[in-house]
């Protein structure tokens, strides 16, 4: 997978470099890495339950340890880390070999960090297409999280940098309806969809309710089992 990821980076005019601090994707100027240590303050037990994502994913009356969240579009794993910090188990899917390699590197390093190891132990990565996996009917999830990539939607310089590099080798999501249908096939109790604050509903599907902040909105679809 590492060699495949390096070749993918090279074909996009980028380089995947092995450093003392883990794998780094670079174009010679900008750099991108999956680094969970940057999120230590956000995964603090006294803070993480105030995260909008955690509020959207938790189901009243069900202990967090009993909930399995499928992060169908894991990316660099930051959302999954927040959920794991809140006590939920997370199954992550990432189909892009380059992004999956960066995420796997972050998991390996996180497992060596005493501050992150208990969280990472609740996270599992599958380097495959979540649409096929969820559609198979073999996965029983409590919650499915969807965060399909779409054109840059923020004025944040750091996030712009990340999307500039990612867009160099991966196009924004074009299979929204298929992704949502696959999530429903897993028969979860709810689907949580991450969107920009003023962005359209995914596949034009109106949610049961939404939780909105300044930088992000979570559209929540709830089902009869809940």
């Amino acid at each position: 997978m590492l060699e495949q990821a390096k070749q993918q980076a090279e074909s996009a005019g980028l380089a995947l470099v092995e450093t003392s601090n883990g794998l780094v994707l670079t174009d010679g100027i900008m750099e991108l890495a999956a680094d969970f240590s940057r999120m230590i303050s956000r995964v603090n037990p006294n803070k993480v339950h105030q995260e909008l994502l955690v509020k959207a994913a938790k189901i009243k009356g069900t202990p967090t340890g009993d909930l399995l969240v499928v992060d169908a579009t894991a990316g660099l794993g930051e959302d999954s880390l927040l959920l794991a910090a809140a006590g939920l188990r997370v199954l992550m899917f990432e189909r892009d070999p380059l992004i999956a390699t960066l995420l796997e590197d972050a998991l390996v390093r996180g497992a060596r960090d005493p501050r992150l190891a208990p969280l990472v132990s609740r996270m599992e990565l599958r380097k495959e297409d979540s649409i096929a996996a969820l559609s198979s009917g073999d996965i029983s999830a409590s919650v499915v999280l969807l965060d399909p990539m779409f054109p840059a939607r923020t004025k944040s310089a750091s996030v712009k940098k990340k999307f500039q590099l990612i867009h160099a080798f991966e196009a924004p999501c074009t299979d929204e309806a298929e992704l949502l249908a696959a999530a429903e096939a897993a028969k979860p109790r709810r689907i949580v969809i991450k969107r920009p604050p003023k962005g359209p509903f995914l596949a034009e599907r109106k949610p049961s309710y939404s939780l909105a902040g300044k930088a992000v909105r979570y559209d929540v679809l709830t089902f009869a089992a809940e």
Side-chain angles (χ1 to χ4, degrees):
M1 179 67 79
L2 179 56
E3 288 306 313
Q4 181 184 359
K6 286 184 176 181
Q7 292 173 9
Q8 182 185 357
E10 186 176 350
S11 66
L14 307 172
L16 185 62
V17 183
E18 298 178 69
T19 75
S20 58
N21 294 318
L23 293 176
V24 174
L25 180 67
T26 180
D27 63 357
I29 300 174
M30 296 184 292
E31 294 185 347
L32 176 67
D35 185 1
F36 293 155
S37 65
R38 298 172 184 165
M39 297 181 64
I40 290 296
S41 63
R42 291 184 67 187
V43 298
N44 184 303
N46 296 322
K47 294 182 179 180
V48 72
H49 292 280
Q50 300 306 312
E51 292 277 348
L52 280 182
L53 172 59
V54 172
K55 292 180 178 180
K58 289 170 64 176
I59 297 176
K60 187 176 181 180
T62 303
T64 55
D66 292 343
L67 295 174
L68 173 63
V69 180
V70 170
D71 186 346
T73 48
L76 297 178
E78 294 179 354
D79 287 337
S80 289
L81 185 69
L82 289 174
L83 294 170
L88 289 78
R89 294 175 295 122
V90 189
L91 176 59
M92 302 176 291
F93 284 89
E94 180 49 57
R95 67 184 179 183
D96 185 89
L98 184 47
I99 298 177
T101 298
L102 289 172
L103 176 52
E104 183 177 46
D105 180 62
L107 290 168
V108 170
R109 286 183 286 113
R112 298 175 186 151
D113 187 330
R115 302 169 300 174
L116 295 168
L119 285 56
V120 170
S121 70
R122 291 192 284 271
M123 300 165 66
E124 177 187 346
L125 172 62
R126 293 192 188 178
K127 304 172 189 177
E128 58 185 279
D129 186 355
S130 63
I131 291 178
L134 290 169
S135 299
S136 70
D138 295 333
I139 296 176
S140 179
S142 307
V143 180
V144 176
L145 171 63
L146 304 178
D147 179 17
M149 187 174 74
F150 41 92
R153 71 268 193 184
T154 175
K155 296 181 180 179
S156 165
S158 62
V159 175
K160 274 188 177 181
K161 181 192 302 183
K162 178 172 75 172
F163 276 93
Q164 283 175 22
L165 283 175
I166 291 178
H167 283 164
F169 59 87
E170 185 178 36
C173 177
T174 58
D175 50 6
E176 293 185 352
E178 189 178 6
L179 180 63
L180 183 55
E184 290 185 273
K187 298 186 179 355
R189 296 172 66 181
R190 65 175 58 179
I191 297 173
V192 177
I193 306 168
K194 187 175 183 179
R195 304 301 284 167
K198 297 182 180 180
F201 297 140
L202 185 71
E204 301 181 352
R205 179 72 171 274
K206 185 177 180 180
S208 304
Y209 64 91
S210 298
L211 297 177
K214 292 182 179 180
V216 69
R217 185 186 82 230
Y218 291 99
D219 294 336
V220 182
L221 299 174
T222 60
F223 301 94
E226 187 173 331

